[in-house]
Amino acid sequence: MKAGISWLLRIHGARRARRVVAAYRQCLSSEDAPARLVLSDLAHYCRAGQSSFVASDPHQTAFNEGARDVFLHVAEMCGLGPQDFAGLIQEVIDDR
């Protein structure tokens, strides 16, 4: 079981966990153009396709990793995986 789903089950229980996942998928379906725009923006902003490490600044590294962790949670709730991240980030680049 994936980490985000395990967390939801542990914190909320099965009934609410199912409702939360369904809400993420309803609001942020990767098939919906506005939702996909939001997901691609989050992927880019949260550095989904990059390292979060900053050699000279452990605080910035921690901040970057926190943002990345939030995106990974949102992506997991939406049924997206690492194979989808490159496409989301490329959409930001293509839209410039």
Side-chain angles (χ1 to χ4, degrees):
M1 184 175 303
K2 295 185 177 184
I5 301 296
S6 295
W7 180 85
L8 277 176
L9 288 169
R10 190 176 66 251
I11 298 300
H12 298 302
R15 192 173 74 116
R16 181 170 171 85
R18 281 192 300 273
R19 289 181 23 233
V20 168
V21 170
Y24 269 100
R25 291 182 183 187
Q26 180 181 356
C27 292
L28 295 173
S29 167
S30 62
E31 304 302 316
D32 180 62
R36 188 146 180 104
L37 186 64
V38 169
L39 288 168
S40 65
D41 179 64
L42 285 173
H44 187 74
Y45 180 78
C46 295
R47 306 170 62 95
Q50 304 172 34
S51 171
S52 49
F53 179 71
V54 178
S56 61
D57 192 345
H59 298 289
Q60 188 63 50
T61 297
F63 178 85
N64 292 348
E65 188 57 26
R68 188 174 157 280
D69 184 58
V70 169
F71 174 75
L72 293 175
H73 178 75
V74 170
E76 182 182 339
M77 295 300 103
C78 293
L80 300 173
Q83 70 278 5
D84 302 304
F85 301 168
L88 289 171
I89 293 165
Q90 189 62 45
E91 288 176 25
V92 173
I93 294 166
D94 292 345
D95 205 24
R96 289 183 182 167

